[in-house]
Amino acid sequence: MTIYFNNGVYQNKEDVGVSIDDRGYYFGDGVYEVIKIYEGQLYTAHEHFTRFLQSAQKIRLDLPYTVDEFMEIAGKLMVDNGIVEGHVYIQATRGVAPRMHNFPGIDSKPSITAYAIDNPRPLSKLKEGVAVKTVDDIRWLRCDIKSLNLLANVLAKQDAYEAGCAEAVFVREGIVTEGSSSNMFGVKDGILYTHPANNLILNGITRRVVLKCCAENSIGVMEEPFTLEQFNDMDEVFLTSTTSEITPIISIDGRTIGNGEPGRITERLQHVFEQTIQHPSHKLN
Ligand code: PDD
């Protein structure tokens, strides 16, 4: 039996009713988070729920819980569903109201739903790496918000899958921004490159862990925009996300990166990342 969280109530999945008038359903008018569970513990949950509240605030959505309360909800879902290796998914929409674009009145409350689910680590991809395909970044200019509105991301990922690739890489005016559900990194001459955390990308929690690992291991980092040409010419390339961790990229648009195997610095960062999993109380700051 799977227990879901639905607006303050814990209930069976089958009993969670979602209204046809929910603004998440009409407009994708809401925000979400994905939090990893390793060995029965939430990983960087404080950072995820802080970002969740920030995303909500950026779309002018007031949520009735604090970071600590969200952490309790996620922890209960994890424990009650017996999830040891998996993730928590949580979303908040602007609630239920007859369809109109402008915000509903104060009577309408946010709809908050969450669940915990089994999801093993992608071990073979972590070891062998994946292929990626570049696509035009046709998204809006607030990619810093973890919005439910993911149509451009869905289309990009499908393009990549149809080309036999695991991820789509967004390119905006010649600049590599991020993946359809991940952040992008390149290594050139021992220096790590990644797009700065501005409005054009989501500032990934895994991205932040990687940057912290670099600082602690004397790996130089340039948080500066780089072109697709530079990306193709990197010695190593990898992507990061909550569920993909640090996944090596071995080819871009069919062109092999380096010798077609995960790079040395990528593997070193994977190793350091593993250590943060074993100490899940690990804080970013
Ligand atoms: N995606 N960029 C985008 C557009 C994302 O959707 C994600 C995460 C990331 C990486 O963020 P983080 O390291 O905090 O997971 C970057 C999640 C996992 C998803 O949509 O399933």
Side-chain angles (χ1 to χ4, degrees):
M1 199 164 59
T2 316
I3 304 298
Y4 276 46
F5 176 87
N6 180 22
N7 290 321
V9 180
Y10 292 89
Q11 52 189 185
N12 295 334
K13 181 178 183 182
E14 295 70 34
D15 297 333
V16 179
V18 174
S19 169
I20 195 168
D21 276 336
D22 194 286
R23 291 178 65 91
Y25 182 58
Y26 280 138
F27 303 113
D29 185 2
V31 293
Y32 76 104
E33 276 296 330
V34 181
I35 304 106
K36 188 80 193 168
I37 298 165
Y38 291 114
E39 294 172 17
Q41 300 221 44
L42 295 164
Y43 180 74
T44 54
H46 197 275
E47 288 77 5
H48 279 281
F49 286 119
T50 301
R51 185 175 67 184
F52 191 48
L53 287 174
Q54 285 165 348
S55 289
Q57 195 203 356
K58 287 173 181 176
I59 66 162
R60 298 165 61 189
L61 176 64
D62 277 335
L63 297 183
Y65 300 109
T66 61
V67 166
D68 286 342
E69 286 166 341
F70 277 125
M71 284 177 57
E72 262 177 51
I73 292 166
K76 182 169 167 54
L77 287 170
M78 173 181 76
V79 170
D80 289 0
N81 291 293
I83 307 298
V84 178
E85 192 80 45
H87 67 255
V88 169
Y89 177 84
I90 185 160
Q91 70 171 46
T93 78
R94 208 180 303 277
V96 175
R99 184 178 182 277
M100 57 175 178
H101 286 65
N102 52 301
F103 294 177
I106 44 164
D107 295 343
S108 135
K109 299 273 176 282
S111 304
I112 304 174
T113 45
Y115 57 82
I117 192 168
D118 283 318
N119 183 14
R121 300 180 62 199
L123 294 177
S124 66
K125 286 183 179 167
L126 293 176
K127 189 152 178 278
E128 279 145 38
V130 297
V132 298
K133 179 184 192 289
T134 58
V135 298
D136 254 4
D137 195 344
I138 59 165
R139 298 174 303 162
W140 70 334
L141 297 174
R142 291 308 306 276
C143 300
D144 53 309
I145 300 173
K146 203 160 169 60
S147 156
L148 287 178
N149 228 307
L150 290 171
L151 191 49
N153 308 58
V154 166
L155 291 172
K157 185 81 96 187
Q158 185 61 23
D159 252 21
Y161 275 17
E162 286 174 9
C165 294
E167 177 61 307
V169 180
F170 283 125
V171 180
R172 193 189 286 272
E173 291 168 3
I175 300 293
V176 172
T177 51
E178 63 179 336
S180 73
S181 60
S182 61
N183 291 116
M184 287 292 150
F185 293 79
V187 179
K188 188 71 184 170
D189 300 328
I191 305 286
L192 192 73
Y193 291 81
T194 196
H195 197 282
N198 59 16
N199 62 310
L200 299 182
I201 68 159
L202 182 77
N203 186 1
I205 305 299
T206 324
R207 175 188 182 279
R208 298 180 211 176
V209 172
V210 165
L211 295 183
K212 184 163 188 268
C213 291
C214 286
E216 288 170 357
N217 287 271
S218 310
I219 298 171
V221 173
M222 294 276 275
E223 282 185 81
E224 282 186 9
F226 52 86
T227 63
L228 176 57
E229 220 179 358
Q230 287 174 294
F231 196 52
N232 283 326
D233 191 42
M234 294 284 180
D235 302 327
E236 305 178 26
V237 181
F238 63 86
L239 61 84
T240 65
S241 83
T242 295
T243 46
S244 306
E245 302 182 5
I246 299 174
T247 298
I249 292 173
I250 52 173
S251 80
I252 303 170
D253 296 329
R255 266 192 303 272
T256 304
I257 297 297
N259 61 2
E261 283 176 13
R264 200 175 48 83
I265 292 186
T266 307
E267 286 183 340
R268 192 167 150 214
L269 284 169
Q270 285 180 316
H271 177 72
V272 178
F273 183 82
E274 289 264 344
Q275 289 172 336
T276 71
I277 294 174
Q278 281 144 29
H279 306 281
S281 58
H282 166 90
K283 284 273 182 306
L284 279 174
N285 292 302

